PDB file of all heavy atoms in Angstrom:
ATOM      1  N   CYS A 141     143.179  96.331 111.849  1.00 96.00           N
ATOM      2  CA  CYS A 141     144.473  95.638 111.851  1.00 96.00           C
ATOM      3  C   CYS A 141     144.473  94.630 112.999  1.00 96.00           C
ATOM      4  O   CYS A 141     144.284  95.001 114.148  1.00 96.00           O
ATOM      5  CB  CYS A 141     145.612  96.631 112.035  1.00 96.00           C
ATOM      6  SG  CYS A 141     147.192  95.841 112.380  1.00 96.00           S
ATOM      7  N   THR A 143     146.870  93.130 114.234  1.00 96.00           N
ATOM      8  CA  THR A 143     148.063  93.206 115.076  1.00 96.00           C
ATOM      9  C   THR A 143     147.940  94.316 116.119  1.00 96.00           C
ATOM     10  O   THR A 143     148.152  94.075 117.299  1.00 96.00           O
ATOM     11  CB  THR A 143     149.319  93.451 114.199  1.00 96.00           C
ATOM     12  OG1 THR A 143     149.327  92.474 113.159  1.00 96.00           O
ATOM     13  CG2 THR A 143     150.590  93.363 115.020  1.00 96.00           C
ATOM     14  N   CYS A 144     147.571  95.542 115.678  1.00 94.00           N
ATOM     15  CA  CYS A 144     147.560  96.656 116.637  1.00 94.00           C
ATOM     16  C   CYS A 144     146.153  97.201 116.896  1.00 94.00           C
ATOM     17  O   CYS A 144     145.964  98.033 117.783  1.00 94.00           O
ATOM     18  CB  CYS A 144     148.464  97.787 116.166  1.00 94.00           C
ATOM     19  SG  CYS A 144     147.770  98.775 114.827  1.00 94.00           S
ATOM     20  N   GLY A 145     145.152  96.756 116.128  1.00 89.00           N
ATOM     21  CA  GLY A 145     143.782  97.197 116.399  1.00 89.00           C
ATOM     22  C   GLY A 145     143.374  98.481 115.711  1.00 89.00           C
ATOM     23  O   GLY A 145     142.245  98.944 115.876  1.00 89.00           O
ATOM     24  N   GLU A 146     144.257  99.073 114.907  1.00 92.00           N
ATOM     25  CA  GLU A 146     143.888 100.307 114.192  1.00 92.00           C
ATOM     26  C   GLU A 146     142.714 100.027 113.247  1.00 92.00           C
ATOM     27  O   GLU A 146     142.666  98.992 112.596  1.00 92.00           O
ATOM     28  CB  GLU A 146     145.113 100.811 113.411  1.00 92.00           C
ATOM     29  CG  GLU A 146     144.909 102.117 112.657  1.00 92.00           C
ATOM     30  CD  GLU A 146     144.798 103.341 113.579  1.00 92.00           C
ATOM     31  OE1 GLU A 146     144.870 103.196 114.816  1.00 92.00           O
ATOM     32  OE2 GLU A 146     144.623 104.451 113.042  1.00 92.00           O
ATOM     33  N   TYR A 148     140.182 100.742 109.988  1.00 94.00           N
ATOM     34  CA  TYR A 148     140.208 101.258 108.607  1.00 94.00           C
ATOM     35  C   TYR A 148     138.818 101.127 107.984  1.00 94.00           C
ATOM     36  O   TYR A 148     137.925 100.493 108.562  1.00 94.00           O
ATOM     37  CB  TYR A 148     141.231 100.478 107.776  1.00 94.00           C
ATOM     38  CG  TYR A 148     142.651 100.715 108.243  1.00 94.00           C
ATOM     39  CD1 TYR A 148     143.295  99.800 109.077  1.00 94.00           C
ATOM     40  CD2 TYR A 148     143.317 101.878 107.889  1.00 94.00           C
ATOM     41  CE1 TYR A 148     144.583 100.038 109.540  1.00 94.00           C
ATOM     42  CE2 TYR A 148     144.607 102.119 108.335  1.00 94.00           C
ATOM     43  CZ  TYR A 148     145.230 101.206 109.156  1.00 94.00           C
ATOM     44  OH  TYR A 148     146.505 101.447 109.620  1.00 94.00           O
ATOM     45  N   CYS A 161     149.041  97.963 107.419  1.00 98.00           N
ATOM     46  CA  CYS A 161     148.670  98.901 108.469  1.00 98.00           C
ATOM     47  C   CYS A 161     149.652 100.071 108.545  1.00 98.00           C
ATOM     48  O   CYS A 161     150.865  99.864 108.625  1.00 98.00           O
ATOM     49  CB  CYS A 161     148.629  98.168 109.813  1.00 98.00           C
ATOM     50  SG  CYS A 161     148.245  99.253 111.194  1.00 98.00           S
ATOM     51  N   LYS A 163     150.051 102.027 110.948  1.00 96.00           N
ATOM     52  CA  LYS A 163     150.581 102.201 112.304  1.00 96.00           C
ATOM     53  C   LYS A 163     151.696 101.222 112.625  1.00 96.00           C
ATOM     54  O   LYS A 163     152.693 101.591 113.220  1.00 96.00           O
ATOM     55  CB  LYS A 163     149.445 101.966 113.300  1.00 96.00           C
ATOM     56  CG  LYS A 163     148.758 103.239 113.698  1.00 96.00           C
ATOM     57  CD  LYS A 163     148.479 103.177 115.164  1.00 96.00           C
ATOM     58  CE  LYS A 163     148.184 104.534 115.701  1.00 96.00           C
ATOM     59  NZ  LYS A 163     147.180 104.441 116.762  1.00 96.00           N
ATOM     60  N   CYS A 164     151.484  99.943 112.277  1.00 98.00           N
ATOM     61  CA  CYS A 164     152.429  98.915 112.747  1.00 98.00           C
ATOM     62  C   CYS A 164     152.996  98.079 111.612  1.00 98.00           C
ATOM     63  O   CYS A 164     153.808  97.189 111.857  1.00 98.00           O
ATOM     64  CB  CYS A 164     151.749  98.013 113.783  1.00 98.00           C
ATOM     65  SG  CYS A 164     150.627  96.809 113.062  1.00 98.00           S
ATOM     66  N   GLY A 165     152.549  98.312 110.365  1.00 98.00           N
ATOM     67  CA  GLY A 165     153.069  97.525 109.254  1.00 98.00           C
ATOM     68  C   GLY A 165     152.447  96.137 109.135  1.00 98.00           C
ATOM     69  O   GLY A 165     152.796  95.367 108.241  1.00 98.00           O
ATOM     70  N   GLY A 166     151.503  95.821 110.044  1.00 97.00           N
ATOM     71  CA  GLY A 166     150.853  94.507 110.030  1.00 97.00           C
ATOM     72  C   GLY A 166     150.061  94.299 108.741  1.00 97.00           C
ATOM     73  O   GLY A 166     149.624  95.256 108.103  1.00 97.00           O
TER      74      GLY A 166
HETATM   75 ZN1  LIG B   5     148.448  97.736 112.894  1.00 52.91          ZN
END
Side-chain angles (χ1 to χ4, degrees):
C141 168
T143 309
C144 76
E146 182 71 0
Y148 294 99
C161 178
K163 266 221 163 145
C164 77

